Amino acid sequence: MQGLVQGVGFRPFIYQIAHRYQIKGCVYNITEGVIIKVEGDSENISRFISEIKNNHPQAAEIVSISLEDARYEGYDEFQIKKSNDSSNLVSEISPDIATCEDCLEDLKQQKHRVNYPFINCTNCGPRFSIVKDFPYDRVNTTMDEFPMCEKCESEYKEILDRRFHAQPVACNDCGPKYTLHYPEKKIEIIEEILVELKRILEEGGIISIKGLGGFHIMCDATNEKAVERLRNSKKREGKPFAVMFSGIDAIQKFAYVSDIEEKSLLSWKRPINLLKAKKNKLAESVCLGFDTIGAFLPYMPIHYLLFEKLDIDALVLTSGNISEEPIITDNEDALKILARISDAVLTYNREIYNRTDDSVIKIINDSEQVLRRSRGYAPNPVYLKNKTEGIFAAGAELVNCFCIGKGNQAILSQHIGDLKNYETFDFYKKAFKTFKKVFRFEPQLVVTDLHPDYLSTHFGEELNKEAIKVQHHHAHIASCMVENELYEPVIGLSFDGTGLGDDKTIWGSEFLIADLDGYERKFHFEYIELPGGDKATYEPWRIAVSNLYRIYGKEFLDFKLDFLKNIPNSQVSLILHAIDKKINCPASCSAGRLFDAVSALLNVCTLSSFHAEAPMRLEAIASEEIKGFYDFEIKNYVSFKPMIQQIISDLRDGIKKEVISSKFHNTVVEAIFKVTNKIKIETGINKIALSGGTFQNRYLLEKLETMFSKSGYEVFTQNKIPCNDGGIALGQLAIAANMFKV
Ligand code: ZN
Ligand code: ZN
Ligand code: FE
């Protein structure tokens, strides 16, 4: 049997139904899945099989079941066999699983668990976030401090119980407990805590609350004053907040939910879904002018208990951190740091061992695209064709994840973040230590990005001076390839914000012919100077100026463009001077920077307060209904000079920004399509792999995928693995594994 069937209560489930149907034999894990040997009455066996198909635990994803006759062994009983192969050990640890329906029932009526906010069973509850060591047993989790009471222990040992072998099993008598902290007092009784939470939230207050993988800060998402106060205290200017809703109905008041989105929202992974917002608005400060809402549903018992009490059905539930630091996981830190910005802090007395953020996904062309991969997803492995054992891939810099190899699996870490932040890099190092321990991993081969200054590169080189270097965009494409089990050459379209090229320039609009052995760079966009280097990424107006200067010389200063009205002339002159003298003006062909430039030109975003804000705001105003596009030239690179000229003339004619943005997006689609066709004619390759942060743009990806498919291409995108730099480590690891394949 193949699929995600390990560490999700699958073997106990098999054990139970074998018992029910009086079947003897055994179940054990192999690298590719699970083997079940059965002996018994043939009718019972077929019932047993249909039970597996129809009633398996929610987190088990069965890909295929194949049946084979085997030799009669004469088993006396049914056993769960331990696996001996170390490469299988990794599969034992499942991601955290949202509270299941059965537990929600028990929460109301099971005597020792009425209102017990840590209720869980074999099919649900914390997993990865509480694991400290291998193997996955209670003593190796942060539940080790809570000895089971007699009742829990009997359930844990009873084969036919839903809590049979549920490692975090607990109840009101023996398990972890919440404490609500005020500056002057504490409350420890759950019913009283809920009354207080209701009071504070409905009065517009702010509460920090310990979640599964870290703290959240919450407030009423419809109360503008509360949200604004939260935003100011978090020092988070422009990024939309995630909102937890009481249910699908509540979401539908504020956002459109397709069937596929509904399924994803309700899945045991409970990711944040980026949904299209309706006119009916949440508080202004939640989404800050974006047309999407980051929505998710309750996944811990406390969330359900709380919504049951509340008259509010939408709560901002944003990560419990200040600015860009990692989310806080520790009670003491929360009481020190988060207490300052909240009216009360809700902690519990079980440690969070592995920090996990809420995962973020988007549905594009009817399939899930994971943008931030953490809770519910990590540490599920990707299976590769080649042996991966002992390979450590350090990842990139921004939205970093690292990746380790076990057997033929690639295990991506949870979302780490931007390594330039000191605390985040610390998290990276700690997470690596934990992975070494929990997965019994020893790095023998290290692979890093080509960029010599990434902290991940330094870290990798410290582990191994001979670390293999992989070009950033090649890694993006390799990541997409192995996720889709592609091993033959593809046309790799790798578009993003930045990545060091093998010619030492900044790449980011790559048309590659690639496989795991290597790549050939066929085309890219035109290079544009970035005045101020890195600074230009936070000040997109600089890139707009750079584009204009290249086309018009100083003449553009007379165009009276809106976006320049708030930029002092002296600053503009300084930049023109820098470009003339080539002072800190690296050239880049990055697609992200092209989006930045146009976003600034339209005065949509001239200064960005978070990563990729300018392209996101530009996408937000584009409309499918507008079909036209601008001109571009294909030389041995793609030049958008004609497009910029036409945009300027549209702007001067007073054409609406929405129209210009749509036509700009269509132009990029058109250009990518045309160039790809050229490459196809030349090479005969018909498979396209798309990766890189630019493809988080729904407008762009949907159009491209549709156009390519209609023209007979086979198109492959990233779904379970982020197409942004969070997926880079997988590509690095796949390329290294391929170099040393046996
Ligand atoms: Zn459960
Ligand atoms: Zn108990
Ligand atoms: Fe990238």
Short mmCIF file of all heavy atoms in Angstrom, two decimals, residues 505-542:
data_model
loop_
_atom_site.label_atom_id
_atom_site.label_comp_id
_atom_site.label_asym_id
_atom_site.label_seq_id
_atom_site.Cartn_x
_atom_site.Cartn_y
_atom_site.Cartn_z
N THR A 505 26.25 37.60 -12.25
CA THR A 505 25.25 38.67 -12.27
C THR A 505 23.98 38.16 -11.57
O THR A 505 23.86 36.98 -11.28
CB THR A 505 24.88 39.09 -13.71
OG1 THR A 505 24.21 37.99 -14.35
CG2 THR A 505 26.11 39.49 -14.50
N ILE A 506 23.04 39.09 -11.31
CA ILE A 506 21.81 38.71 -10.62
C ILE A 506 20.78 38.24 -11.66
O ILE A 506 20.38 39.00 -12.53
CB ILE A 506 21.23 39.89 -9.81
CG1 ILE A 506 22.29 40.47 -8.88
CG2 ILE A 506 20.02 39.43 -9.01
CD1 ILE A 506 21.89 41.77 -8.23
N TRP A 507 20.39 36.98 -11.54
CA TRP A 507 19.41 36.39 -12.45
C TRP A 507 18.02 36.44 -11.84
O TRP A 507 17.84 36.79 -10.69
CB TRP A 507 19.76 34.93 -12.73
CG TRP A 507 21.02 34.71 -13.52
CD1 TRP A 507 21.96 35.64 -13.86
CD2 TRP A 507 21.48 33.46 -14.05
NE1 TRP A 507 22.98 35.04 -14.57
CE2 TRP A 507 22.70 33.71 -14.70
CE3 TRP A 507 20.98 32.15 -14.04
CZ2 TRP A 507 23.42 32.69 -15.34
CZ3 TRP A 507 21.69 31.14 -14.66
CH2 TRP A 507 22.91 31.42 -15.32
N GLY A 508 17.04 36.03 -12.63
CA GLY A 508 15.68 35.98 -12.08
C GLY A 508 14.59 35.93 -13.13
O GLY A 508 13.42 36.15 -12.83
N SER A 509 14.98 35.64 -14.40
CA SER A 509 13.95 35.48 -15.45
C SER A 509 14.51 34.44 -16.41
O SER A 509 14.82 34.74 -17.55
CB SER A 509 13.73 36.80 -16.18
OG SER A 509 14.97 37.29 -16.66
N GLU A 510 14.65 33.22 -15.92
CA GLU A 510 15.45 32.23 -16.63
C GLU A 510 14.62 31.26 -17.46
O GLU A 510 13.71 30.60 -16.97
CB GLU A 510 16.29 31.45 -15.62
CG GLU A 510 17.07 32.33 -14.66
CD GLU A 510 17.85 33.42 -15.38
OE1 GLU A 510 18.57 33.09 -16.35
OE2 GLU A 510 17.74 34.60 -15.00
N PHE A 511 14.96 31.19 -18.73
CA PHE A 511 14.43 30.16 -19.62
C PHE A 511 15.54 29.13 -19.77
O PHE A 511 16.53 29.39 -20.44
CB PHE A 511 14.09 30.75 -20.99
CG PHE A 511 13.01 31.81 -20.97
CD1 PHE A 511 13.30 33.12 -20.63
CD2 PHE A 511 11.71 31.48 -21.33
CE1 PHE A 511 12.31 34.09 -20.63
CE2 PHE A 511 10.71 32.46 -21.34
CZ PHE A 511 11.00 33.76 -20.99
N LEU A 512 15.39 28.01 -19.11
CA LEU A 512 16.46 27.02 -19.09
C LEU A 512 16.04 25.75 -19.81
O LEU A 512 14.85 25.42 -19.88
CB LEU A 512 16.82 26.64 -17.64
CG LEU A 512 17.09 27.75 -16.63
CD1 LEU A 512 17.27 27.15 -15.23
CD2 LEU A 512 18.32 28.57 -17.00
N ILE A 513 17.03 25.04 -20.34
CA ILE A 513 16.83 23.64 -20.66
C ILE A 513 17.51 22.93 -19.50
O ILE A 513 18.71 23.12 -19.28
CB ILE A 513 17.55 23.24 -21.96
CG1 ILE A 513 17.01 24.04 -23.14
CG2 ILE A 513 17.43 21.75 -22.22
CD1 ILE A 513 15.59 23.72 -23.47
N ALA A 514 16.76 22.16 -18.75
CA ALA A 514 17.36 21.63 -17.53
C ALA A 514 16.96 20.19 -17.26
O ALA A 514 15.88 19.74 -17.65
CB ALA A 514 16.94 22.49 -16.34
N ASP A 515 17.86 19.47 -16.63
CA ASP A 515 17.52 18.24 -15.93
C ASP A 515 18.36 18.23 -14.67
O ASP A 515 18.95 19.26 -14.33
CB ASP A 515 17.73 17.00 -16.82
CG ASP A 515 19.16 16.87 -17.32
OD1 ASP A 515 20.05 17.53 -16.74
OD2 ASP A 515 19.39 16.11 -18.27
N LEU A 516 18.42 17.10 -13.98
CA LEU A 516 19.16 17.13 -12.71
C LEU A 516 20.68 17.19 -12.94
O LEU A 516 21.43 17.59 -12.08
CB LEU A 516 18.80 15.91 -11.85
CG LEU A 516 17.35 15.88 -11.35
CD1 LEU A 516 17.12 14.66 -10.47
CD2 LEU A 516 16.99 17.15 -10.59
N ASP A 517 21.12 16.81 -14.15
CA ASP A 517 22.56 16.85 -14.44
C ASP A 517 23.07 18.27 -14.64
O ASP A 517 24.24 18.55 -14.41
CB ASP A 517 22.86 16.06 -15.73
CG ASP A 517 22.71 14.57 -15.51
OD1 ASP A 517 23.01 14.12 -14.38
OD2 ASP A 517 22.29 13.87 -16.44
N GLY A 518 22.23 19.15 -15.16
CA GLY A 518 22.72 20.49 -15.43
C GLY A 518 21.67 21.31 -16.17
O GLY A 518 20.50 20.92 -16.24
N TYR A 519 22.11 22.43 -16.72
CA TYR A 519 21.16 23.29 -17.42
C TYR A 519 21.89 24.14 -18.45
O TYR A 519 23.11 24.34 -18.39
CB TYR A 519 20.44 24.20 -16.43
CG TYR A 519 21.35 25.20 -15.77
CD1 TYR A 519 21.51 26.48 -16.29
CD2 TYR A 519 22.08 24.85 -14.63
CE1 TYR A 519 22.38 27.39 -15.70
CE2 TYR A 519 22.94 25.75 -14.04
CZ TYR A 519 23.09 27.02 -14.57
OH TYR A 519 23.94 27.91 -13.99
N GLU A 520 21.11 24.61 -19.39
CA GLU A 520 21.64 25.57 -20.35
C GLU A 520 20.71 26.77 -20.30
O GLU A 520 19.48 26.63 -20.33
CB GLU A 520 21.62 24.94 -21.75
CG GLU A 520 22.30 25.77 -22.80
CD GLU A 520 22.04 25.21 -24.21
OE1 GLU A 520 21.69 24.01 -24.32
OE2 GLU A 520 22.17 25.98 -25.17
N ARG A 521 21.29 27.98 -20.20
CA ARG A 521 20.47 29.18 -20.11
C ARG A 521 20.17 29.66 -21.52
O ARG A 521 21.07 30.09 -22.25
CB ARG A 521 21.26 30.24 -19.33
CG ARG A 521 20.45 31.46 -18.95
CD ARG A 521 21.37 32.50 -18.32
NE ARG A 521 20.63 33.54 -17.64
CZ ARG A 521 21.09 34.77 -17.47
NH1 ARG A 521 22.30 35.11 -17.91
NH2 ARG A 521 20.36 35.68 -16.85
N LYS A 522 18.90 29.59 -21.92
CA LYS A 522 18.55 29.92 -23.30
C LYS A 522 18.18 31.40 -23.47
O LYS A 522 18.54 32.02 -24.45
CB LYS A 522 17.37 29.05 -23.77
CG LYS A 522 17.65 27.56 -23.82
CD LYS A 522 18.76 27.23 -24.75
CE LYS A 522 18.28 26.67 -26.07
NZ LYS A 522 19.43 26.27 -26.92
N PHE A 523 17.40 31.91 -22.54
CA PHE A 523 16.92 33.30 -22.65
C PHE A 523 16.76 33.90 -21.26
O PHE A 523 16.72 33.17 -20.26
CB PHE A 523 15.54 33.35 -23.32
CG PHE A 523 15.59 33.37 -24.81
CD1 PHE A 523 15.45 32.20 -25.54
CD2 PHE A 523 15.76 34.57 -25.49
CE1 PHE A 523 15.48 32.21 -26.92
CE2 PHE A 523 15.79 34.60 -26.88
CZ PHE A 523 15.65 33.41 -27.59
N HIS A 524 16.63 35.19 -21.23
CA HIS A 524 16.30 35.89 -19.98
C HIS A 524 15.76 37.25 -20.37
O HIS A 524 15.80 37.64 -21.55
CB HIS A 524 17.53 36.02 -19.09
CG HIS A 524 18.70 36.66 -19.79
ND1 HIS A 524 18.81 38.01 -19.95
CD2 HIS A 524 19.78 36.11 -20.42
CE1 HIS A 524 19.92 38.29 -20.63
NE2 HIS A 524 20.52 37.15 -20.93
N PHE A 525 15.26 38.00 -19.39
CA PHE A 525 14.81 39.37 -19.66
C PHE A 525 16.04 40.29 -19.70
O PHE A 525 17.13 39.91 -19.30
CB PHE A 525 13.86 39.86 -18.56
CG PHE A 525 12.52 39.16 -18.51
CD1 PHE A 525 11.63 39.39 -17.46
CD2 PHE A 525 12.12 38.28 -19.52
CE1 PHE A 525 10.39 38.76 -17.42
CE2 PHE A 525 10.88 37.65 -19.49
CZ PHE A 525 10.02 37.89 -18.42
N GLU A 526 15.79 41.49 -20.18
CA GLU A 526 16.84 42.50 -20.26
C GLU A 526 17.36 42.88 -18.87
O GLU A 526 16.62 42.92 -17.90
CB GLU A 526 16.24 43.76 -20.92
CG GLU A 526 17.25 44.82 -21.25
CD GLU A 526 16.64 45.92 -22.14
OE1 GLU A 526 15.40 45.96 -22.29
OE2 GLU A 526 17.42 46.71 -22.68
N TYR A 527 18.66 43.15 -18.80
CA TYR A 527 19.26 43.59 -17.53
C TYR A 527 18.96 45.07 -17.28
O TYR A 527 19.04 45.88 -18.20
CB TYR A 527 20.77 43.40 -17.56
CG TYR A 527 21.18 41.98 -17.24
CD1 TYR A 527 21.25 41.00 -18.23
CD2 TYR A 527 21.51 41.62 -15.93
CE1 TYR A 527 21.62 39.70 -17.93
CE2 TYR A 527 21.89 40.32 -15.63
CZ TYR A 527 21.94 39.36 -16.63
OH TYR A 527 22.30 38.09 -16.32
N ILE A 528 18.61 45.39 -16.06
CA ILE A 528 18.35 46.77 -15.65
C ILE A 528 19.18 47.06 -14.40
O ILE A 528 19.30 46.20 -13.52
CB ILE A 528 16.85 46.96 -15.29
CG1 ILE A 528 15.93 46.56 -16.46
CG2 ILE A 528 16.55 48.39 -14.84
CD1 ILE A 528 15.96 47.49 -17.66
N GLU A 529 19.75 48.25 -14.30
CA GLU A 529 20.52 48.60 -13.11
C GLU A 529 19.60 48.77 -11.91
O GLU A 529 18.52 49.36 -12.04
CB GLU A 529 21.30 49.93 -13.30
CG GLU A 529 22.47 49.84 -14.25
CD GLU A 529 22.06 49.88 -15.71
OE1 GLU A 529 20.91 50.28 -16.00
OE2 GLU A 529 22.90 49.50 -16.56
N LEU A 530 20.06 48.30 -10.77
CA LEU A 530 19.31 48.48 -9.52
C LEU A 530 20.07 49.48 -8.65
O LEU A 530 20.98 49.10 -7.92
CB LEU A 530 19.18 47.17 -8.76
CG LEU A 530 18.58 45.96 -9.49
CD1 LEU A 530 18.56 44.75 -8.58
CD2 LEU A 530 17.19 46.28 -10.00
N PRO A 531 19.68 50.77 -8.71
CA PRO A 531 20.42 51.78 -7.95
C PRO A 531 20.26 51.54 -6.45
O PRO A 531 19.16 51.48 -5.94
CB PRO A 531 19.75 53.10 -8.34
CG PRO A 531 18.87 52.78 -9.51
CD PRO A 531 18.54 51.34 -9.44
N GLY A 532 21.41 51.36 -5.78
CA GLY A 532 21.37 51.11 -4.34
C GLY A 532 21.37 49.62 -4.02
O GLY A 532 21.30 49.25 -2.85
N GLY A 533 21.44 48.77 -5.04
CA GLY A 533 21.49 47.33 -4.82
C GLY A 533 20.28 46.82 -4.07
O GLY A 533 19.14 47.03 -4.50
N ASP A 534 20.51 46.21 -2.92
CA ASP A 534 19.43 45.65 -2.11
C ASP A 534 18.36 46.66 -1.76
O ASP A 534 17.18 46.33 -1.64
CB ASP A 534 20.02 45.10 -0.80
CG ASP A 534 19.99 43.58 -0.80
OD1 ASP A 534 19.62 43.00 -1.85
OD2 ASP A 534 20.34 42.98 0.24
N LYS A 535 18.80 47.91 -1.57
CA LYS A 535 17.87 48.95 -1.17
C LYS A 535 16.74 49.11 -2.20
O LYS A 535 15.60 49.43 -1.85
CB LYS A 535 18.63 50.28 -1.03
CG LYS A 535 17.98 51.18 -0.01
CD LYS A 535 18.83 52.36 0.36
CE LYS A 535 18.04 53.21 1.34
NZ LYS A 535 18.73 54.42 1.71
N ALA A 536 17.08 48.84 -3.46
CA ALA A 536 16.08 49.00 -4.53
C ALA A 536 14.90 48.06 -4.33
O ALA A 536 13.79 48.35 -4.76
CB ALA A 536 16.74 48.75 -5.88
N THR A 537 15.13 46.92 -3.67
CA THR A 537 14.01 45.98 -3.49
C THR A 537 13.00 46.52 -2.49
O THR A 537 11.84 46.13 -2.51
CB THR A 537 14.49 44.60 -3.01
OG1 THR A 537 15.22 44.76 -1.80
CG2 THR A 537 15.35 43.92 -4.05
N TYR A 538 13.43 47.41 -1.58
CA TYR A 538 12.47 48.00 -0.65
C TYR A 538 11.95 49.33 -1.16
O TYR A 538 11.00 49.88 -0.64
CB TYR A 538 13.13 48.21 0.73
CG TYR A 538 13.62 46.92 1.30
CD1 TYR A 538 14.96 46.56 1.24
CD2 TYR A 538 12.71 46.01 1.84
CE1 TYR A 538 15.39 45.34 1.73
CE2 TYR A 538 13.13 44.79 2.32
CZ TYR A 538 14.47 44.46 2.26
OH TYR A 538 14.90 43.26 2.73
N GLU A 539 12.64 49.87 -2.17
CA GLU A 539 12.22 51.15 -2.73
C GLU A 539 12.04 51.00 -4.24
O GLU A 539 12.88 51.46 -5.02
CB GLU A 539 13.26 52.23 -2.39
CG GLU A 539 13.44 52.41 -0.88
CD GLU A 539 14.29 53.62 -0.51
OE1 GLU A 539 14.73 54.36 -1.41
OE2 GLU A 539 14.49 53.83 0.70
N PRO A 540 10.95 50.36 -4.63
CA PRO A 540 10.74 50.06 -6.05
C PRO A 540 10.80 51.28 -6.96
O PRO A 540 11.09 51.15 -8.15
CB PRO A 540 9.34 49.44 -6.09
CG PRO A 540 9.08 48.96 -4.71
CD PRO A 540 9.86 49.83 -3.79
N TRP A 541 10.55 52.47 -6.42
CA TRP A 541 10.60 53.67 -7.28
C TRP A 541 11.97 53.82 -7.92
O TRP A 541 12.11 54.35 -9.02
CB TRP A 541 10.22 54.93 -6.48
CG TRP A 541 11.21 55.34 -5.43
CD1 TRP A 541 11.21 54.96 -4.13
CD2 TRP A 541 12.36 56.19 -5.60
NE1 TRP A 541 12.28 55.51 -3.46
CE2 TRP A 541 13.00 56.28 -4.34
CE3 TRP A 541 12.91 56.89 -6.69
CZ2 TRP A 541 14.17 57.02 -4.13
CZ3 TRP A 541 14.06 57.65 -6.48
CH2 TRP A 541 14.68 57.70 -5.23
N ARG A 542 13.02 53.34 -7.24
CA ARG A 542 14.37 53.43 -7.79
C ARG A 542 14.48 52.63 -9.10
O ARG A 542 15.17 53.04 -10.03
CB ARG A 542 15.40 52.84 -6.81
CG ARG A 542 15.61 53.67 -5.56
CD ARG A 542 16.37 52.85 -4.52
NE ARG A 542 16.63 53.62 -3.33
CZ ARG A 542 17.81 54.20 -3.06
NH1 ARG A 542 18.83 54.06 -3.86
NH2 ARG A 542 17.96 54.91 -1.98
#
